[in-house]
Amino acid sequence: MIPKNKILAKANPILSGIGMLFGAVETVDNFVKGDVASGIQSLGDTLMSAGPLIALASPPAGFVVGVVGGGLWLGATIYKNWPAIKHGFKKLVNDPIGFGKDLVNDTVSAVKKAGELVSKGWNTVKGWFS
């Protein structure tokens, strides 16, 4: 019998394989659509998912693949969101109090939306058993 705390460790290669498969399909789809930034972002995600599988055979190689994938994903994400990042930095430098207020308001809004989604999901699942 597998100890309860080891179940996810046993499932990790399977989950990595599934993530890698979905990432590869998304990568090809993005490049076919001509969305290079999203394609690179998806490629990074695919490599991050492949890292644990490669680590089964060679831990250092798996680590390198995961780090390269993370770098690709991070770089593409920054590139895609650069206008918003630039605007946020300008606001932080020019109006730190306004930036803080916006941050708090956005966080409160996100938490409310997340709560609503959880509540809606819970009510849906509850409805299945009523």
Side-chain angles (χ1 to χ4, degrees):
M1 185 161 146
I2 298 173
K4 291 179 185 174
N5 61 347
K6 300 287 184 179
I7 290 174
L8 288 179
K10 303 295 181 195
N12 188 40
I14 295 167
L15 297 175
S16 291
I18 292 169
M20 189 176 71
L21 178 65
F22 283 127
V25 169
E26 184 180 38
T27 299
V28 170
D29 186 51
N30 285 326
F31 279 123
V32 167
K33 289 179 185 174
D35 188 354
V36 175
S38 292
I40 292 171
Q41 193 176 27
S42 298
L43 177 60
D45 184 45
T46 303
L47 291 175
M48 285 190 292
S49 294
L53 290 176
I54 294 169
L56 292 172
S58 172
F63 175 76
V64 169
V65 168
V67 169
V68 168
L72 287 172
W73 179 87
L74 180 62
T77 300
I78 290 171
Y79 175 79
K80 286 175 61 175
N81 295 296
W82 184 247
I85 292 168
K86 185 176 169 184
H87 174 74
F89 276 128
K90 280 185 180 178
K91 181 145 184 148
L92 176 61
V93 170
N94 296 330
D95 184 16
I97 293 175
F99 178 84
K101 286 180 182 177
D102 288 348
L103 184 64
V104 168
N105 290 337
D106 290 347
T107 302
V108 168
S109 175
V111 169
K112 282 182 183 177
K113 286 179 184 176
E116 290 168 2
L117 284 173
V118 168
S119 177
K120 183 178 176 184
W122 176 253
N123 289 336
T124 299
V125 171
K126 238 175 38 176
W128 294 342
F129 298 101
S130 299

Short mmCIF file of all heavy atoms in Angstrom, two decimals, residues 43-108:
data_model
loop_
_atom_site.label_atom_id
_atom_site.label_comp_id
_atom_site.label_asym_id
_atom_site.label_seq_id
_atom_site.Cartn_x
_atom_site.Cartn_y
_atom_site.Cartn_z
N LEU A 43 5.83 26.74 -25.39
CA LEU A 43 7.00 25.89 -25.46
C LEU A 43 7.70 25.84 -24.10
O LEU A 43 8.11 24.77 -23.64
CB LEU A 43 7.98 26.39 -26.54
CG LEU A 43 9.29 25.63 -26.66
CD1 LEU A 43 9.04 24.17 -27.00
CD2 LEU A 43 10.18 26.30 -27.69
N GLY A 44 7.80 27.00 -23.45
CA GLY A 44 8.38 27.02 -22.11
C GLY A 44 7.59 26.18 -21.14
O GLY A 44 8.15 25.42 -20.34
N ASP A 45 6.27 26.27 -21.22
CA ASP A 45 5.40 25.46 -20.35
C ASP A 45 5.60 23.98 -20.64
O ASP A 45 5.67 23.16 -19.72
CB ASP A 45 3.95 25.87 -20.57
CG ASP A 45 2.99 25.15 -19.66
OD1 ASP A 45 3.29 25.05 -18.45
OD2 ASP A 45 1.94 24.71 -20.14
N THR A 46 5.72 23.62 -21.91
CA THR A 46 5.95 22.23 -22.30
C THR A 46 7.26 21.71 -21.72
O THR A 46 7.32 20.61 -21.19
CB THR A 46 5.93 22.10 -23.83
OG1 THR A 46 4.69 22.60 -24.33
CG2 THR A 46 6.12 20.66 -24.26
N LEU A 47 8.31 22.52 -21.85
CA LEU A 47 9.61 22.11 -21.32
C LEU A 47 9.59 21.98 -19.80
O LEU A 47 10.21 21.08 -19.24
CB LEU A 47 10.70 23.09 -21.76
CG LEU A 47 11.03 23.07 -23.25
CD1 LEU A 47 12.03 24.17 -23.58
CD2 LEU A 47 11.55 21.72 -23.68
N MET A 48 8.87 22.89 -19.12
CA MET A 48 8.76 22.76 -17.66
C MET A 48 8.05 21.46 -17.28
O MET A 48 8.40 20.82 -16.30
CB MET A 48 8.02 23.97 -17.06
CG MET A 48 8.87 25.22 -17.01
SD MET A 48 8.12 26.56 -16.06
CE MET A 48 6.74 27.01 -17.08
N SER A 49 7.05 21.08 -18.07
CA SER A 49 6.37 19.81 -17.80
C SER A 49 7.25 18.61 -18.13
O SER A 49 7.15 17.57 -17.49
CB SER A 49 5.07 19.72 -18.62
OG SER A 49 4.15 20.69 -18.19
N ALA A 50 8.12 18.76 -19.12
CA ALA A 50 9.01 17.67 -19.52
C ALA A 50 10.15 17.46 -18.52
O ALA A 50 10.69 16.37 -18.41
CB ALA A 50 9.58 17.93 -20.90
N GLY A 51 10.51 18.50 -17.79
CA GLY A 51 11.63 18.43 -16.86
C GLY A 51 11.57 17.25 -15.90
O GLY A 51 12.54 16.48 -15.80
N PRO A 52 10.46 17.03 -15.19
CA PRO A 52 10.39 15.89 -14.27
C PRO A 52 10.50 14.53 -14.97
O PRO A 52 11.06 13.60 -14.41
CB PRO A 52 9.02 16.04 -13.59
CG PRO A 52 8.70 17.49 -13.70
CD PRO A 52 9.31 17.93 -15.01
N LEU A 53 9.98 14.43 -16.19
CA LEU A 53 10.11 13.16 -16.92
C LEU A 53 11.55 12.90 -17.31
O LEU A 53 12.04 11.78 -17.18
CB LEU A 53 9.22 13.18 -18.17
CG LEU A 53 7.73 13.14 -17.93
CD1 LEU A 53 6.98 13.27 -19.24
CD2 LEU A 53 7.34 11.87 -17.22
N ILE A 54 12.23 13.93 -17.78
CA ILE A 54 13.64 13.79 -18.14
C ILE A 54 14.48 13.51 -16.90
O ILE A 54 15.44 12.74 -16.94
CB ILE A 54 14.12 15.03 -18.90
CG1 ILE A 54 13.38 15.13 -20.24
CG2 ILE A 54 15.63 15.02 -19.10
CD1 ILE A 54 13.56 16.43 -20.96
N ALA A 55 14.08 14.09 -15.78
CA ALA A 55 14.82 13.89 -14.53
C ALA A 55 14.77 12.45 -14.06
O ALA A 55 15.64 12.03 -13.29
CB ALA A 55 14.28 14.82 -13.45
N LEU A 56 13.80 11.68 -14.50
CA LEU A 56 13.77 10.26 -14.14
C LEU A 56 15.01 9.55 -14.67
O LEU A 56 15.54 8.65 -14.02
CB LEU A 56 12.51 9.60 -14.69
CG LEU A 56 11.19 10.04 -14.06
CD1 LEU A 56 10.02 9.43 -14.83
CD2 LEU A 56 11.12 9.66 -12.60
N ALA A 57 15.47 9.95 -15.85
CA ALA A 57 16.66 9.34 -16.45
C ALA A 57 17.93 10.08 -16.06
O ALA A 57 18.97 9.47 -15.83
CB ALA A 57 16.52 9.31 -17.96
N SER A 58 17.85 11.41 -16.00
CA SER A 58 19.03 12.22 -15.70
C SER A 58 18.59 13.47 -14.95
O SER A 58 18.16 14.45 -15.58
CB SER A 58 19.75 12.60 -16.98
OG SER A 58 20.78 13.52 -16.71
N PRO A 59 18.68 13.46 -13.62
CA PRO A 59 18.23 14.63 -12.85
C PRO A 59 18.85 15.96 -13.28
O PRO A 59 18.13 16.95 -13.40
CB PRO A 59 18.60 14.27 -11.41
CG PRO A 59 18.54 12.77 -11.39
CD PRO A 59 19.05 12.36 -12.75
N PRO A 60 20.16 16.02 -13.58
CA PRO A 60 20.70 17.32 -14.02
C PRO A 60 20.08 17.80 -15.33
O PRO A 60 19.78 18.98 -15.49
CB PRO A 60 22.20 17.06 -14.18
CG PRO A 60 22.49 15.88 -13.33
CD PRO A 60 21.24 15.04 -13.38
N ALA A 61 19.87 16.88 -16.26
CA ALA A 61 19.27 17.26 -17.55
C ALA A 61 17.83 17.72 -17.34
O ALA A 61 17.39 18.70 -17.96
CB ALA A 61 19.32 16.10 -18.53
N GLY A 62 17.09 17.04 -16.49
CA GLY A 62 15.72 17.44 -16.20
C GLY A 62 15.66 18.82 -15.59
O GLY A 62 14.81 19.64 -15.93
N PHE A 63 16.62 19.12 -14.70
CA PHE A 63 16.70 20.44 -14.08
C PHE A 63 16.96 21.51 -15.15
O PHE A 63 16.30 22.55 -15.17
CB PHE A 63 17.80 20.46 -13.01
CG PHE A 63 18.02 21.81 -12.40
CD1 PHE A 63 17.14 22.33 -11.48
CD2 PHE A 63 19.12 22.57 -12.77
CE1 PHE A 63 17.33 23.58 -10.93
CE2 PHE A 63 19.33 23.82 -12.22
CZ PHE A 63 18.44 24.33 -11.30
N VAL A 64 17.92 21.24 -16.03
CA VAL A 64 18.27 22.21 -17.07
C VAL A 64 17.07 22.46 -18.00
O VAL A 64 16.76 23.61 -18.32
CB VAL A 64 19.50 21.74 -17.88
CG1 VAL A 64 19.71 22.60 -19.12
CG2 VAL A 64 20.74 21.77 -17.00
N VAL A 65 16.40 21.39 -18.40
CA VAL A 65 15.23 21.54 -19.27
C VAL A 65 14.14 22.36 -18.58
O VAL A 65 13.54 23.25 -19.18
CB VAL A 65 14.69 20.16 -19.71
CG1 VAL A 65 13.33 20.28 -20.38
CG2 VAL A 65 15.68 19.49 -20.65
N GLY A 66 13.91 22.09 -17.30
CA GLY A 66 12.92 22.85 -16.55
C GLY A 66 13.28 24.33 -16.43
O GLY A 66 12.42 25.21 -16.59
N VAL A 67 14.55 24.60 -16.16
CA VAL A 67 14.99 26.00 -16.03
C VAL A 67 14.90 26.73 -17.37
O VAL A 67 14.45 27.88 -17.43
CB VAL A 67 16.42 26.07 -15.45
CG1 VAL A 67 17.00 27.46 -15.56
CG2 VAL A 67 16.42 25.61 -13.99
N VAL A 68 15.33 26.07 -18.44
CA VAL A 68 15.22 26.69 -19.77
C VAL A 68 13.75 26.96 -20.10
O VAL A 68 13.40 28.03 -20.60
CB VAL A 68 15.88 25.80 -20.85
CG1 VAL A 68 15.54 26.28 -22.26
CG2 VAL A 68 17.39 25.79 -20.66
N GLY A 69 12.88 26.00 -19.81
CA GLY A 69 11.45 26.19 -20.05
C GLY A 69 10.90 27.34 -19.24
O GLY A 69 10.13 28.16 -19.74
N GLY A 70 11.31 27.42 -17.98
CA GLY A 70 10.85 28.53 -17.14
C GLY A 70 11.33 29.87 -17.67
O GLY A 70 10.59 30.86 -17.65
N GLY A 71 12.57 29.91 -18.17
CA GLY A 71 13.09 31.15 -18.74
C GLY A 71 12.33 31.57 -19.99
O GLY A 71 12.00 32.75 -20.17
N LEU A 72 12.04 30.60 -20.87
CA LEU A 72 11.26 30.90 -22.07
C LEU A 72 9.86 31.40 -21.70
O LEU A 72 9.38 32.39 -22.26
CB LEU A 72 11.13 29.66 -22.95
CG LEU A 72 12.38 29.23 -23.71
CD1 LEU A 72 12.15 27.88 -24.38
CD2 LEU A 72 12.77 30.28 -24.74
N TRP A 73 9.21 30.71 -20.76
CA TRP A 73 7.87 31.10 -20.36
C TRP A 73 7.89 32.51 -19.75
O TRP A 73 7.06 33.35 -20.10
CB TRP A 73 7.30 30.09 -19.35
CG TRP A 73 5.93 30.48 -18.90
CD1 TRP A 73 4.75 30.18 -19.50
CD2 TRP A 73 5.62 31.27 -17.75
NE1 TRP A 73 3.71 30.74 -18.79
CE2 TRP A 73 4.22 31.41 -17.71
CE3 TRP A 73 6.37 31.86 -16.76
CZ2 TRP A 73 3.57 32.13 -16.72
CZ3 TRP A 73 5.73 32.58 -15.77
CH2 TRP A 73 4.34 32.71 -15.75
N LEU A 74 8.83 32.76 -18.85
CA LEU A 74 8.90 34.07 -18.18
C LEU A 74 9.19 35.17 -19.19
O LEU A 74 8.53 36.22 -19.17
CB LEU A 74 9.97 34.05 -17.09
CG LEU A 74 10.15 35.36 -16.31
CD1 LEU A 74 8.87 35.71 -15.56
CD2 LEU A 74 11.32 35.24 -15.35
N GLY A 75 10.16 34.95 -20.08
CA GLY A 75 10.49 35.97 -21.07
C GLY A 75 9.31 36.29 -21.98
O GLY A 75 9.02 37.46 -22.24
N ALA A 76 8.63 35.27 -22.46
CA ALA A 76 7.48 35.50 -23.34
C ALA A 76 6.33 36.16 -22.60
O ALA A 76 5.63 37.02 -23.16
CB ALA A 76 7.01 34.17 -23.95
N THR A 77 6.14 35.80 -21.34
CA THR A 77 5.07 36.41 -20.54
C THR A 77 5.36 37.90 -20.33
O THR A 77 4.45 38.73 -20.45
CB THR A 77 4.91 35.68 -19.20
OG1 THR A 77 4.60 34.31 -19.46
CG2 THR A 77 3.80 36.30 -18.37
N ILE A 78 6.59 38.22 -20.01
CA ILE A 78 6.96 39.64 -19.84
C ILE A 78 6.78 40.39 -21.15
O ILE A 78 6.22 41.49 -21.18
CB ILE A 78 8.40 39.77 -19.30
CG1 ILE A 78 8.46 39.29 -17.85
CG2 ILE A 78 8.91 41.20 -19.43
CD1 ILE A 78 9.87 39.16 -17.29
N TYR A 79 7.24 39.79 -22.26
CA TYR A 79 7.10 40.43 -23.57
C TYR A 79 5.63 40.71 -23.89
O TYR A 79 5.27 41.80 -24.34
CB TYR A 79 7.73 39.54 -24.65
CG TYR A 79 7.52 40.07 -26.04
CD1 TYR A 79 8.30 41.10 -26.54
CD2 TYR A 79 6.52 39.54 -26.86
CE1 TYR A 79 8.10 41.60 -27.82
CE2 TYR A 79 6.32 40.02 -28.14
CZ TYR A 79 7.11 41.05 -28.61
OH TYR A 79 6.90 41.54 -29.87
N LYS A 80 4.77 39.70 -23.69
CA LYS A 80 3.35 39.86 -24.01
C LYS A 80 2.67 40.90 -23.14
O LYS A 80 1.73 41.56 -23.58
CB LYS A 80 2.62 38.51 -23.84
CG LYS A 80 2.91 37.53 -24.94
CD LYS A 80 2.27 36.19 -24.67
CE LYS A 80 0.77 36.30 -24.58
NZ LYS A 80 0.11 35.00 -24.43
N ASN A 81 3.13 41.04 -21.89
CA ASN A 81 2.47 41.94 -20.95
C ASN A 81 3.27 43.22 -20.70
O ASN A 81 2.99 43.92 -19.73
CB ASN A 81 2.21 41.21 -19.63
CG ASN A 81 1.24 40.07 -19.82
OD1 ASN A 81 0.09 40.27 -20.15
ND2 ASN A 81 1.72 38.85 -19.65
N TRP A 82 4.26 43.51 -21.54
CA TRP A 82 5.14 44.64 -21.30
C TRP A 82 4.40 45.97 -21.17
O TRP A 82 4.71 46.76 -20.27
CB TRP A 82 6.23 44.73 -22.36
CG TRP A 82 7.18 45.83 -22.03
CD1 TRP A 82 7.36 47.00 -22.72
CD2 TRP A 82 8.04 45.91 -20.89
NE1 TRP A 82 8.29 47.77 -22.09
CE2 TRP A 82 8.72 47.13 -20.96
CE3 TRP A 82 8.29 45.06 -19.82
CZ2 TRP A 82 9.65 47.52 -20.01
CZ3 TRP A 82 9.21 45.45 -18.86
CH2 TRP A 82 9.87 46.67 -18.96
N PRO A 83 3.41 46.29 -22.01
CA PRO A 83 2.72 47.58 -21.82
C PRO A 83 2.11 47.73 -20.42
O PRO A 83 2.24 48.78 -19.80
CB PRO A 83 1.64 47.58 -22.91
CG PRO A 83 2.18 46.67 -23.96
CD PRO A 83 2.94 45.60 -23.21
N ALA A 84 1.48 46.69 -19.92
CA ALA A 84 0.87 46.75 -18.59
C ALA A 84 1.95 46.84 -17.51
O ALA A 84 1.81 47.57 -16.52
CB ALA A 84 -0.02 45.55 -18.34
N ILE A 85 3.05 46.10 -17.69
CA ILE A 85 4.14 46.13 -16.71
C ILE A 85 4.77 47.53 -16.68
O ILE A 85 5.00 48.10 -15.61
CB ILE A 85 5.20 45.06 -17.04
CG1 ILE A 85 4.61 43.67 -16.83
CG2 ILE A 85 6.47 45.24 -16.21
CD1 ILE A 85 5.45 42.54 -17.40
N LYS A 86 5.01 48.08 -17.85
CA LYS A 86 5.59 49.42 -17.96
C LYS A 86 4.69 50.47 -17.31
O LYS A 86 5.15 51.32 -16.56
CB LYS A 86 5.82 49.74 -19.44
CG LYS A 86 6.53 51.02 -19.71
CD LYS A 86 6.76 51.14 -21.23
CE LYS A 86 7.23 52.52 -21.60
NZ LYS A 86 7.37 52.67 -23.05
N HIS A 87 3.39 50.36 -17.59
CA HIS A 87 2.43 51.29 -16.99
C HIS A 87 2.42 51.16 -15.46
O HIS A 87 2.39 52.16 -14.75
CB HIS A 87 1.02 51.02 -17.55
CG HIS A 87 -0.05 51.83 -16.90
ND1 HIS A 87 -0.21 53.17 -17.14
CD2 HIS A 87 -1.01 51.49 -15.99
CE1 HIS A 87 -1.23 53.62 -16.41
NE2 HIS A 87 -1.73 52.61 -15.71
N GLY A 88 2.48 49.92 -14.98
CA GLY A 88 2.50 49.70 -13.53
C GLY A 88 3.74 50.29 -12.88
O GLY A 88 3.65 50.92 -11.81
N PHE A 89 4.90 50.12 -13.50
CA PHE A 89 6.12 50.70 -12.94
C PHE A 89 6.07 52.22 -12.94
O PHE A 89 6.49 52.87 -11.97
CB PHE A 89 7.36 50.22 -13.71
CG PHE A 89 7.88 48.90 -13.25
CD1 PHE A 89 8.10 47.89 -14.17
CD2 PHE A 89 8.14 48.64 -11.92
CE1 PHE A 89 8.58 46.65 -13.77
CE2 PHE A 89 8.62 47.41 -11.50
CZ PHE A 89 8.84 46.42 -12.43
N LYS A 90 5.56 52.81 -14.03
CA LYS A 90 5.43 54.27 -14.08
C LYS A 90 4.52 54.77 -12.97
O LYS A 90 4.81 55.74 -12.30
CB LYS A 90 4.90 54.72 -15.43
CG LYS A 90 5.93 54.76 -16.51
CD LYS A 90 5.34 55.32 -17.80
CE LYS A 90 6.38 55.36 -18.89
NZ LYS A 90 5.82 55.85 -20.15
N LYS A 91 3.41 54.08 -12.78
CA LYS A 91 2.46 54.48 -11.73
C LYS A 91 3.10 54.31 -10.35
O LYS A 91 2.92 55.16 -9.48
CB LYS A 91 1.18 53.67 -11.83
CG LYS A 91 0.17 54.08 -10.78
CD LYS A 91 -1.22 54.01 -11.26
CE LYS A 91 -2.12 54.53 -10.19
NZ LYS A 91 -3.27 55.18 -10.66
N LEU A 92 3.85 53.24 -10.15
CA LEU A 92 4.52 53.01 -8.87
C LEU A 92 5.50 54.14 -8.57
O LEU A 92 5.55 54.63 -7.44
CB LEU A 92 5.24 51.67 -8.89
CG LEU A 92 6.08 51.32 -7.65
CD1 LEU A 92 5.20 51.26 -6.41
CD2 LEU A 92 6.82 50.02 -7.85
N VAL A 93 6.26 54.56 -9.57
CA VAL A 93 7.26 55.61 -9.36
C VAL A 93 6.59 56.98 -9.20
O VAL A 93 6.96 57.75 -8.32
CB VAL A 93 8.27 55.64 -10.54
CG1 VAL A 93 9.16 56.85 -10.47
CG2 VAL A 93 9.09 54.36 -10.54
N ASN A 94 5.60 57.29 -10.03
CA ASN A 94 4.99 58.62 -10.04
C ASN A 94 3.91 58.81 -8.98
O ASN A 94 3.69 59.92 -8.52
CB ASN A 94 4.41 58.92 -11.42
CG ASN A 94 5.48 58.99 -12.48
OD1 ASN A 94 6.61 59.37 -12.20
ND2 ASN A 94 5.13 58.63 -13.69
N ASP A 95 3.21 57.73 -8.63
CA ASP A 95 2.10 57.84 -7.67
C ASP A 95 2.04 56.58 -6.82
O ASP A 95 1.14 55.75 -6.99
CB ASP A 95 0.79 58.05 -8.44
CG ASP A 95 -0.41 58.25 -7.53
OD1 ASP A 95 -0.23 58.54 -6.34
OD2 ASP A 95 -1.55 58.12 -8.04
N PRO A 96 2.98 56.41 -5.88
CA PRO A 96 3.02 55.17 -5.10
C PRO A 96 1.75 54.94 -4.27
O PRO A 96 1.32 53.80 -4.11
CB PRO A 96 4.24 55.31 -4.22
CG PRO A 96 4.70 56.71 -4.34
CD PRO A 96 4.05 57.30 -5.54
N ILE A 97 1.14 56.01 -3.77
CA ILE A 97 -0.07 55.84 -2.96
C ILE A 97 -1.23 55.38 -3.84
O ILE A 97 -1.97 54.46 -3.49
CB ILE A 97 -0.41 57.15 -2.21
CG1 ILE A 97 0.67 57.41 -1.16
CG2 ILE A 97 -1.79 57.06 -1.56
CD1 ILE A 97 0.55 58.71 -0.43
N GLY A 98 -1.38 55.98 -5.01
CA GLY A 98 -2.41 55.55 -5.95
C GLY A 98 -2.18 54.13 -6.41
O GLY A 98 -3.12 53.34 -6.55
N PHE A 99 -0.90 53.77 -6.61
CA PHE A 99 -0.56 52.40 -6.99
C PHE A 99 -0.99 51.43 -5.90
O PHE A 99 -1.57 50.39 -6.17
CB PHE A 99 0.96 52.29 -7.25
CG PHE A 99 1.41 50.92 -7.61
CD1 PHE A 99 1.33 50.46 -8.91
CD2 PHE A 99 1.91 50.06 -6.64
CE1 PHE A 99 1.75 49.19 -9.25
CE2 PHE A 99 2.34 48.78 -6.97
CZ PHE A 99 2.25 48.35 -8.28
N GLY A 100 -0.70 51.79 -4.65
CA GLY A 100 -1.08 50.93 -3.52
C GLY A 100 -2.59 50.78 -3.41
O GLY A 100 -3.08 49.67 -3.18
N LYS A 101 -3.30 51.88 -3.60
CA LYS A 101 -4.77 51.82 -3.55
C LYS A 101 -5.31 50.92 -4.65
O LYS A 101 -6.20 50.10 -4.42
CB LYS A 101 -5.37 53.22 -3.67
CG LYS A 101 -5.22 54.06 -2.43
CD LYS A 101 -5.85 55.43 -2.63
CE LYS A 101 -5.66 56.30 -1.40
NZ LYS A 101 -6.21 57.65 -1.61
N ASP A 102 -4.77 51.09 -5.87
CA ASP A 102 -5.21 50.25 -6.99
C ASP A 102 -4.91 48.78 -6.72
O ASP A 102 -5.72 47.90 -7.01
CB ASP A 102 -4.53 50.67 -8.29
CG ASP A 102 -5.04 51.99 -8.83
OD1 ASP A 102 -6.08 52.48 -8.34
OD2 ASP A 102 -4.39 52.53 -9.76
N LEU A 103 -3.74 48.53 -6.14
CA LEU A 103 -3.35 47.15 -5.82
C LEU A 103 -4.32 46.53 -4.82
O LEU A 103 -4.77 45.40 -5.00
CB LEU A 103 -1.92 47.14 -5.28
CG LEU A 103 -1.31 45.77 -4.98
CD1 LEU A 103 -1.18 44.97 -6.27
CD2 LEU A 103 0.06 45.94 -4.34
N VAL A 104 -4.66 47.27 -3.79
CA VAL A 104 -5.60 46.77 -2.78
C VAL A 104 -6.97 46.54 -3.41
O VAL A 104 -7.59 45.49 -3.21
CB VAL A 104 -5.69 47.73 -1.58
CG1 VAL A 104 -6.85 47.38 -0.67
CG2 VAL A 104 -4.38 47.74 -0.81
N ASN A 105 -7.44 47.52 -4.19
CA ASN A 105 -8.76 47.38 -4.82
C ASN A 105 -8.80 46.19 -5.80
O ASN A 105 -9.78 45.45 -5.83
CB ASN A 105 -9.14 48.67 -5.55
CG ASN A 105 -9.43 49.81 -4.60
OD1 ASN A 105 -9.76 49.60 -3.43
ND2 ASN A 105 -9.29 51.04 -5.08
N ASP A 106 -7.73 46.04 -6.59
CA ASP A 106 -7.69 44.92 -7.53
C ASP A 106 -7.65 43.58 -6.80
O ASP A 106 -8.27 42.61 -7.22
CB ASP A 106 -6.47 45.04 -8.45
CG ASP A 106 -6.60 46.18 -9.44
OD1 ASP A 106 -7.72 46.72 -9.60
OD2 ASP A 106 -5.57 46.53 -10.06
N THR A 107 -6.92 43.54 -5.68
CA THR A 107 -6.84 42.31 -4.89
C THR A 107 -8.20 41.96 -4.29
O THR A 107 -8.64 40.81 -4.35
CB THR A 107 -5.78 42.44 -3.79
OG1 THR A 107 -4.52 42.74 -4.40
CG2 THR A 107 -5.66 41.17 -2.97
N VAL A 108 -8.87 42.96 -3.73
CA VAL A 108 -10.19 42.74 -3.15
C VAL A 108 -11.16 42.25 -4.22
O VAL A 108 -11.92 41.30 -4.01
CB VAL A 108 -10.71 44.02 -2.46
CG1 VAL A 108 -12.19 43.91 -2.11
CG2 VAL A 108 -9.89 44.33 -1.22
#
